Amino acid sequence: MEKLKKYVSVKDEDQFYHQGAVELLVFNFLLILTILTIWLFKNHRFRFLHETGGAMLYGLVMGLIIRYVTKASDVESGTVYECEKLKSGPSILLINITNQVYEYQYKREISHHNVNGHQGNAMLQKMTFDPSIFFNILLPPIIFHAGYSLKKRHFFRNLGSILTYAFLGTAISCVVIGLIMYGFVKAMVHTGQLKQWEFHFTDCLFFGSLMSATDPVTVLAIFHELHVDTDLYTLLFGESVLNDAVAIVLTYSISIYSPKENPNAFDAAAFFQSVGNFLGIFAGSFAMGSSYAVVTALISFMHLTKFTKLCEFPMLETGLFFLLSWSAFLSAEAAGLTGIVAVLFCGVTQAHYTYNNLSPDSKMRTKQLFEFMNFLAENVIFCYMGLALFTFQNHIFNPLFICGAFVAVFVARACNIYPLSFLLNLGRKQKIPRNFQHMMMFSGLRGAIAFALAIRDTDSQPKQMMFTTALLIVFFTVWVFGGGTTPMLTWLQIRVGVDPDEDLKAEAASQSASNLDKNTTKAESAWLFRIWYGFDHKYLKPILTHTGPPLTTTLPEWCNPIARLLTSPTAYGDQLKDGDTDYIINNDELTENYESSAHTPVPAQGRTGSTQATSKEDIQEGDLGLGGYKLQLQPQMNSSA
Amino acid sequence: MEKLKKYVSVKDEDQFYHQGAVELLVFNFLLILTILTIWLFKNHRFRFLHETGGAMLYGLVMGLIIRYVTKASDVESGTVYECEKLKSGPSILLINITNQVYEYQYKREISHHNVNGHQGNAMLQKMTFDPSIFFNILLPPIIFHAGYSLKKRHFFRNLGSILTYAFLGTAISCVVIGLIMYGFVKAMVHTGQLKQWEFHFTDCLFFGSLMSATDPVTVLAIFHELHVDTDLYTLLFGESVLNDAVAIVLTYSISIYSPKENPNAFDAAAFFQSVGNFLGIFAGSFAMGSSYAVVTALISFMHLTKFTKLCEFPMLETGLFFLLSWSAFLSAEAAGLTGIVAVLFCGVTQAHYTYNNLSPDSKMRTKQLFEFMNFLAENVIFCYMGLALFTFQNHIFNPLFICGAFVAVFVARACNIYPLSFLLNLGRKQKIPRNFQHMMMFSGLRGAIAFALAIRDTDSQPKQMMFTTALLIVFFTVWVFGGGTTPMLTWLQIRVGVDPDEDLKAEAASQSASNLDKNTTKAESAWLFRIWYGFDHKYLKPILTHTGPPLTTTLPEWCNPIARLLTSPTAYGDQLKDGDTDYIINNDELTENYESSAHTPVPAQGRTGSTQATSKEDIQEGDLGLGGYKLQLQPQMNSSA
């Protein structure tokens, strides 16, 4: 008898394994469908439904099927049991049931009104997977890829504007959404739909911060395909990538804002603590991410120079690169910082330094690997969003709240883009034309980050209401705005089919002509970046990569012994090769475009005093901050600016 | 107050996320260390410790640190609670503790004597991750890669021997280990170390089957690096890959063998049911794996021909390839078959058909992707094995059992290799020389599969004893035998530095001379395979790939309309291109070696009647089964054969 029972339990366990397989199979099936659809769409040049929209649609249908076709199997799962002896919730719970001990793992705390939601269907429960999977597994490759594929030159040229949109814009968006939602919540309390104590102003701000994260995926994929104007692309890309980082840290800072007494009153101390938290976490994550990248650069550099044969093992190189980048994420998380921010800046730094040290084979491998991971993770997330609408068990659909959120999101986007563009245009030499502003307004899609932030905490009723609303806004913006991108581009007469390389070359030519002019106009804002660029070019790049001038020429003479130690023997030979890796990551390209002729060698004596205008690179990249480069003449731009 | 409590719970949750990050970080750190060590070793051509051995060593040290440096944190976790109201263990348990509901997820059943092992240390508990991760995430890429990188030509030439070693050999090994262990168990019962009812003969057989899975990783990596004789390599590779599949199905069949009455007595019905299970599961998994590969081939073929522009999207191709291959695994698991076997044959079939349809870019991407995943998964498993020795909490070290197991494993390997080699040499034209036999005996390492099978079930005391013993055998064989491979090769005078391509060409030349001779000798054993090969070449390859002769020429005339429908327009043009993908996966090579000149076009009328000798491919690959090809003259082979 005991024997029999044992075998039954073995079979149960096997069934358990197979259950896991079924869940994964559902996702695989959805992804395969999505890929086949994308393939079909690309073949027919059909752009009204992007792959992300398609993935969501398939997820939705699958969710519907799982919800209404599969049956409730586990009758007991809605019941709450009492255990008088337990004083707190241990992470592993051992329970004696009819003389057999079972091990249970702690999952989460549930508020009382949610208990009824936990009814029956084991399949539904399995499909709603742990939100930590989003943060630890799915998001890092997407964000890293964004950082790694950043078009650096264009990015840095628009850095001032991008930072303004990302930091100031996100803050504006967060506060505006928070205020509007607070108004709606007040109205809901007035009509009796909500109890006063359930929804504080901080909750509204929390919602505002998570809804401020715009999604870089859908619109930018279309932009990339159509080769939309590079500046518009860079502005939107930079904004949405950095803005994700800002929104994540902001959400975290707001969630730990805990005023001592009345949660509705303003507590200055707690507020400033939150601001301090925000700055600390952001700076800490930035430092963590970049330092991992610097370590990777150093290791790959050491191996490249000291053991020259080691670039024979591109897989080891790729493995190391991958693991160290992921470690940046995990270390930041483990240290209580924000891994997403760390991995973003890790990606940027890796592209800037480490990429130059890799063997050609590893360059391609890392590029393809991250591209592939990004592709899979993105589609899994969008499929899952579709699924979640029907499989998540604690939705709260509140029409007033949802309407309010839609209004708030659009008003906040307008308050972000138009006033900031106006301010930026005061300082920018090349104005941001009005049609660009409209396009940026239109491109404020919400996607993976907003969803991930919302699903992270769904314990209380307000949080569930927020989650449901966020999901609906994601659906709406991805389908309607994502699908409308191509018509909108035509309507706004934004130029497409631009070759960024040619664009840049033409600009560089006109730029060097007006070199003197620029140096006098916006020197104060570009000043800091120029110093950093000089430093980077003269010291960091030679130490971390085998590009740039050898250290022996840039360091003062008394440092010569150290310089010689740090300089790789190849650096002298490679002096001609400019290591700047713009455009290294293009979805289509496989060959690397080095601008190998761009860097003219300068004799050592010519490099001592001045930081400016020593090479073409310095000329081009030294010019940063709030604008100040020559406008490419385009009829529609001029007419609207 | 309630507010405060809520914030505390949010912080707890965040800590929970960070915990997950710490675990992953530990693994990342171990992997980075391993990669750096491999890098160093490869540079110094140091072969006494292979990367797998290194990974295990680092894991061991880390396990030691975690075990003895971190403190017990969770005091309550060793306690068992009573819940009278619960009648069975639900998958999700909701528990009310001091007015707060907590959600717990079912993990496993624990036998009573194990409860004491569950003390304290949360870090230790976290590090021992779910065995389903091995089976669903880590093993599939390794096994798929093995199938995908199979050197088909050499493999099929030795197919008879490989199948004999894999099926008959594994069965012999399983029974021998089972019998010897049963003797030791009897002795242990006699000395009072064990109670009679705890350990049945089926348990011994179970142990025998799981210890029969030899590991392809360590030895073959060294073989590959040294370019050891291709036939020895193929024999060992084929044996260990297929033998894993056999051992997994065997273990499963034994675990569900349940005699009705006395578990020690022989029950013929149950026995034959187990044999039937074995055959059914094996055949079913084989069919599942191959059919997914055929679907992939069809899809990629359709896209290639119907929508010619679609090979422009190598990422979609790669994604589809990856997802369909993984789906083969998951479908088999979901259907109650063995995913590992399915994914193995899926890999073989993908390499045979789909690979030919991929764009050159996708060929490289899939190759590199699976290589990379294989590399990571392998090292994670070996690190984890090292960790498990100290972090797994239910070890039972029984010296007598361990000694018995060591004796049994070596005796069983000897009973497998020497008698079977003797029998095979009776039939083989090219004998397996004695030094090859010694090397095969010596290369019987146990690795990932044995470990994964052992960790899958550690609920009862006998199973824990088996797990501990299996772990120790893995350590011993990987370190001692893995490290001793290079000296052993020298000592046994086995030739190294062989170029498989040249080997094959020389053989092909000598083979075509002795063509007539072979066709008469072992025709009966090669007969079945020759029919299959003719069928494959004339019908399957033209349908599934764009290689081989067009269907219009191979099908009878009345099938012409169908043939024309199924034949791709490119097949006529590509007729010259032989699609056979031998040697496609080499760890080092990046370029594909097509034998584009090997396939001489044959006019349609010459192809109607005979299945033999229509092309060089048929000559080479048609000759399968138990040997029968010309021996390459090598002094040491002749002296020992």
Side-chain angles (χ1 to χ4, degrees), chain A residues 18 39 43 81 83 90 94 96 99-101 103-105 107-110 112 200 307 310 333, chain B residues 3 17-18 39 43 81 83 90 94 96 99-101 103-105 107-110 112 307 310 333:
Chain A
H18 298 159
W39 225 338
N43 195 47
Y81 297 94
C83 264
L94 301 179
N96 191 350
N99 257 335
Q100 188 60 47
V101 182
E103 184 177 337
Y104 280 86
Q105 190 170 27
K107 233 176 134 193
R108 54 180 175 154
E109 201 182 312
I110 295 177
H112 286 280
H200 306 295
F307 319 105
L310 290 172
E333 286 288 308
Chain B
K3 189 84 189 169
Y17 286 114
H18 298 158
W39 225 338
N43 196 47
Y81 297 95
C83 264
L94 301 178
N96 190 349
N99 257 333
Q100 188 61 48
V101 182
E103 184 179 339
Y104 280 86
Q105 192 171 26
K107 234 177 134 192
R108 55 180 173 154
E109 201 182 312
I110 295 176
H112 286 281
F307 320 104
L310 290 172
E333 285 287 309

Side-chain angles (χ1 to χ4, degrees), chain A residues 29-322:
Chain A
F29 175 70
L30 287 176
L31 290 177
I32 291 167
L33 260 186
T34 309
I35 289 180
L36 289 177
T37 316
I38 301 169
W39 225 338
L40 207 71
F41 281 9
K42 290 216 171 175
N43 195 47
H44 294 286
R45 306 207 167 278
F46 181 81
R47 286 202 188 85
F48 295 100
L49 183 62
H50 186 254
E51 55 191 76
T52 50
M56 260 169 37
L57 193 64
Y58 286 126
L60 203 72
V61 173
M62 183 57 84
L64 208 64
I65 293 171
I66 293 174
R67 175 98 198 194
Y68 294 107
V69 175
T70 63
K71 285 178 302 196
S73 56
D74 206 342
V75 194
E76 284 193 76
S77 64
T79 328
V80 180
Y81 297 94
E82 305 280 334
C83 264
E84 291 83 9
K85 285 173 197 163
L86 271 170
K87 291 287 164 289
S88 65
S91 63
I92 300 283
L93 185 64
L94 301 179
I95 285 212
N96 191 350
I97 301 165
T98 56
N99 257 335
Q100 188 60 47
V101 182
Y102 293 93
E103 184 177 337
Y104 280 86
Q105 190 170 27
Y106 177 77
K107 233 176 134 193
R108 54 180 175 154
E109 201 182 312
I110 295 177
S111 51
H112 286 280
H113 70 273
N114 268 345
V115 169
N116 296 327
H118 281 261
Q119 274 153 0
N121 200 326
M123 187 73 187
L124 280 186
Q125 280 164 0
K126 294 259 168 60
M127 291 313 285
T128 50
F129 59 71
D130 192 350
S132 76
I133 290 177
F134 277 105
F135 273 88
N136 286 339
I137 313 282
L138 293 173
L139 280 186
I142 296 180
I143 304 290
F144 182 86
H145 181 74
Y148 198 56
S149 63
L150 202 77
K151 288 187 165 75
K152 277 210 311 315
R153 193 157 298 176
H154 284 276
F155 178 77
F156 281 115
R157 287 196 327 188
N158 289 298
L159 190 62
S161 310
I162 289 171
L163 288 179
T164 311
Y165 285 124
F167 281 86
L168 209 56
T170 308
I172 289 174
S173 167
C174 168
V175 172
V176 170
I177 295 178
L179 284 172
I180 294 177
M181 288 323 291
Y182 196 59
F184 273 89
V185 165
K186 282 270 177 210
M188 282 155 73
V189 171
H190 204 72
T191 58
Q193 287 186 38
L194 209 68
K195 288 181 195 89
Q196 172 73 48
W197 53 266
E198 281 185 320
F199 226 114
H200 306 295
F201 183 60
T202 46
D203 291 323
C204 293
L205 271 185
F206 179 84
F207 183 70
S209 65
L210 72 88
M211 285 318 296
S212 296
T214 57
D215 184 52
V217 175
T218 313
V219 173
L220 292 178
I222 298 171
F223 275 30
H224 183 86
E225 214 168 284
L226 294 173
H227 294 285
V228 168
D229 185 283
T230 323
D231 281 307
L232 177 58
Y233 181 90
T234 311
L235 278 177
L236 262 179
F237 183 79
E239 188 225 337
S240 52
V241 166
L242 276 184
N243 139 303
D244 286 348
V246 174
I248 288 171
V249 181
L250 202 58
T251 309
Y252 183 70
S253 306
I254 290 172
S255 79
I256 58 174
Y257 165 80
S258 48
K260 290 240 166 52
E261 289 152 29
N262 181 0
N264 269 321
F266 180 75
D267 181 336
F271 173 76
F272 282 111
Q273 206 189 341
S274 276
V275 172
N277 270 332
F278 175 84
L279 294 176
I281 292 171
F282 204 92
S285 307
F286 175 85
M288 183 74 87
S290 340
S291 52
Y292 264 94
V294 166
V295 167
T296 318
L298 276 176
I299 290 176
S300 60
F301 180 57
M302 261 176 53
H303 277 99
L304 198 76
T305 52
K306 300 274 154 56
F307 319 105
T308 33
K309 274 179 196 157
L310 290 172
C311 48
E312 281 170 25
F313 308 108
M315 195 158 55
L316 297 184
E317 241 178 2
T318 312
L320 203 65
F321 190 92
F322 170 79

Side-chain angles (χ1 to χ4, degrees), chain A residues 439-460:
Chain A
M439 197 64 221
M440 287 183 78
M441 169 74 204
F442 187 78
S443 306
L445 309 197
R446 310 301 137 113
I449 306 280
F451 177 78
L453 285 171
I455 206 176
R456 200 164 182 169
D457 181 6
T458 55
D459 286 346
S460 62

Side-chain angles (χ1 to χ4, degrees), chain B residues 217-236:
Chain B
V217 176
T218 312
V219 172
L220 291 178
I222 297 171
F223 275 30
H224 184 86
E225 213 169 286
L226 293 173
H227 294 284
V228 167
D229 185 284
T230 322
D231 281 307
L232 177 58
Y233 181 90
T234 311
L235 278 178
L236 261 178

Side-chain angles (χ1 to χ4, degrees), chain A residues 3 7 9 13-14 16-18 21-22 24-25 28 31-32 35-36 38-39 42-43 74 76-77 79-83 85-110 112 115 118 125 131-132 136 200 252 255 257-258 263 299 303 307 310 313 315-320 322-324 326-327 330-331 333-334 336 361 364-365 368-369 371-372 375-376 456 459 590, chain B residues 3 7 9 13-14 16-18 21-22 24-25 28 31-32 35-36 38-39 42-43 74 76-83 85-110 112 115 118 125 131-132 136 200 252 255 257-258 299 303 307 310 313 315-320 322-324 326-327 330-331 333-334 336 361 364-365 368-369 371-372 375-376 456 459 590:
Chain A
K3 188 85 191 170
Y7 284 128
S9 100
E13 199 179 309
D14 276 322
F16 201 68
Y17 286 116
H18 298 159
V22 171
L24 287 171
L25 199 59
N28 266 18
L31 290 177
I32 291 167
I35 289 180
L36 289 177
I38 301 169
W39 225 338
K42 290 216 171 175
N43 195 47
D74 206 342
E76 284 193 76
S77 64
T79 328
V80 180
Y81 297 94
E82 305 280 334
C83 264
K85 285 173 197 163
L86 271 170
K87 291 287 164 289
S88 65
S91 63
I92 300 283
L93 185 64
L94 301 179
I95 285 212
N96 191 350
I97 301 165
T98 56
N99 257 335
Q100 188 60 47
V101 182
Y102 293 93
E103 184 177 337
Y104 280 86
Q105 190 170 27
Y106 177 77
K107 233 176 134 193
R108 54 180 175 154
E109 201 182 312
I110 295 177
H112 286 280
V115 169
H118 281 261
Q125 280 164 0
S132 76
N136 286 339
H200 306 295
Y252 183 70
S255 79
Y257 165 80
S258 48
I299 290 176
H303 277 99
F307 319 105
L310 290 172
F313 308 108
M315 195 158 55
L316 297 184
E317 241 178 2
T318 312
L320 203 65
F322 170 79
L323 289 171
L324 277 167
W326 198 22
S327 295
L330 293 171
S331 305
E333 286 288 308
D361 193 16
M364 210 169 57
R365 278 176 183 239
Q368 290 181 351
L369 178 71
E371 205 182 305
F372 182 70
F375 173 77
L376 274 192
R456 200 164 182 169
D459 286 346
L590 268 172
Chain B
K3 189 84 189 169
Y7 282 127
S9 99
E13 199 179 312
D14 276 321
F16 200 68
Y17 286 114
H18 298 158
V22 171
L24 287 171
L25 199 58
N28 266 18
L31 290 176
I32 291 167
I35 290 181
L36 289 177
I38 302 168
W39 225 338
K42 290 216 170 176
N43 196 47
D74 206 341
E76 286 192 74
S77 64
T79 327
V80 180
Y81 297 95
E82 305 281 334
C83 264
K85 285 173 196 162
L86 270 170
K87 290 288 164 289
S88 65
S91 63
I92 299 284
L93 185 65
L94 301 178
I95 285 212
N96 190 349
I97 300 164
T98 55
N99 257 333
Q100 188 61 48
V101 182
Y102 293 93
E103 184 179 339
Y104 280 86
Q105 192 171 26
Y106 177 77
K107 234 177 134 192
R108 55 180 173 154
E109 201 182 312
I110 295 176
H112 286 281
V115 169
H118 281 261
Q125 280 163 359
S132 76
N136 286 339
H200 305 295
Y252 183 68
S255 78
Y257 165 80
S258 47
I299 290 176
H303 276 99
F307 320 104
L310 290 172
F313 308 108
M315 194 156 59
L316 297 184
E317 241 178 2
T318 312
L320 203 64
F322 170 79
L323 290 171
L324 277 167
W326 196 22
S327 295
L330 293 171
S331 305
E333 285 287 309
D361 192 15
M364 209 169 60
R365 277 175 184 240
Q368 291 180 351
L369 179 71
E371 205 183 304
F372 182 70
F375 174 76
L376 273 193
R456 200 163 181 170
D459 286 346
L590 267 173

